Every structure is written in C-alpha cells, then in structure tokens.
C-alpha cells in the first residue's frame, strides 16, 4: 500500500526556514482583506482532525513576540531566504 503524503506537503517543499511569506485576514470594518507578512521559522507535519497535514510556524514582522501556526498551503511566498541551512 502506498503511503499518502501529508496534506499540503507539495506546497511545503517550496518554503524554507527564513522565507518571507504573506497571509490575509478579513477586516470587518473595511470589508476587505488585510495582508500580513512574516518569516517562516519552522515547517512540520502534525495530525489535525485525523489527517497528517503540513504546518508552518511564522513569526509576524509586525509582532516580534508572536509565533503563529498556519496550514502551509495558505501561505504565499514573497521572498526566498538567501541563507542556506548548514548541515551538521
């Protein structure tokens, strides 16, 4: 039997730690979308509702103390990190 890839895994392959990403939230007052930006600090697979999915942890640029988890496929790549991870 073939093992299924985690949901969102294909999109997760596009992202690296340090990439700048965008996500949107609905603004009820303006009745429009607000864009937010942040830096990917972790990409992992987690079980959500009984299914393995790709989750990215992002540190928002506007709030250095926060870390937010997103379904990886909901993020939009803005800029690739120029720093390559060093394997130990």
């Amino acid at each position: 039997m073939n093992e299924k890839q985690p949901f969102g895994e294909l999109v997760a392959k596009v992202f690296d730690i340090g990439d700048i990403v965008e996500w949107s939230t609905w603004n009820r007052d303006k009745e429009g979308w607000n864009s937010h930006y942040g830096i990917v600090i972790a990409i992992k697979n987690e079980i959500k509702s009984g299914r393995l999915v790709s989750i990215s942890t992002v540190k928002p640029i506007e709030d250095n103390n926060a870390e937010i988890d997103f379904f990886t496929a909901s993020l939009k790549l803005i800029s690739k990190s120029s720093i390559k991870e060093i394997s130990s």
Side-chain angles (χ1 to χ4, degrees):
M1 177 186 267
N2 290 341
E3 206 171 299
K4 288 186 179 181
Q5 284 189 353
F7 192 58
E9 180 72 16
L10 290 175
V11 175
K13 291 179 181 180
V14 173
F15 296 110
D16 292 310
I17 305 303
D19 287 352
I20 298 175
V21 294
E22 177 186 16
W23 68 96
S24 299
T25 57
W26 182 254
N27 183 325
R28 288 183 184 171
D29 297 331
K30 294 182 181 178
E31 294 188 5
W33 293 98
N34 288 342
S35 292
H36 303 277
Y37 301 91
I39 300 169
V40 176
I41 59 172
I43 302 170
K44 57 197 172 287
N45 294 322
E46 294 182 1
I47 295 176
K48 301 282 186 181
S49 299
R51 175 124 192 226
L52 193 61
V53 297
S54 178
I55 302 293
S56 292
T57 303
V58 176
K59 184 170 277 295
I61 291 174
E62 64 263 8
D63 183 359
N64 288 336
N65 295 322
E67 292 181 1
I68 307 171
D69 287 339
F70 291 97
F71 172 52
T72 302
S74 69
L75 298 171
K76 177 182 175 186
L77 179 65
I78 299 299
S79 179
K80 292 294 290 174
S81 171
S82 61
I83 300 173
K84 297 291 180 193
E85 281 189 49
I86 299 172
S87 300
S88 44

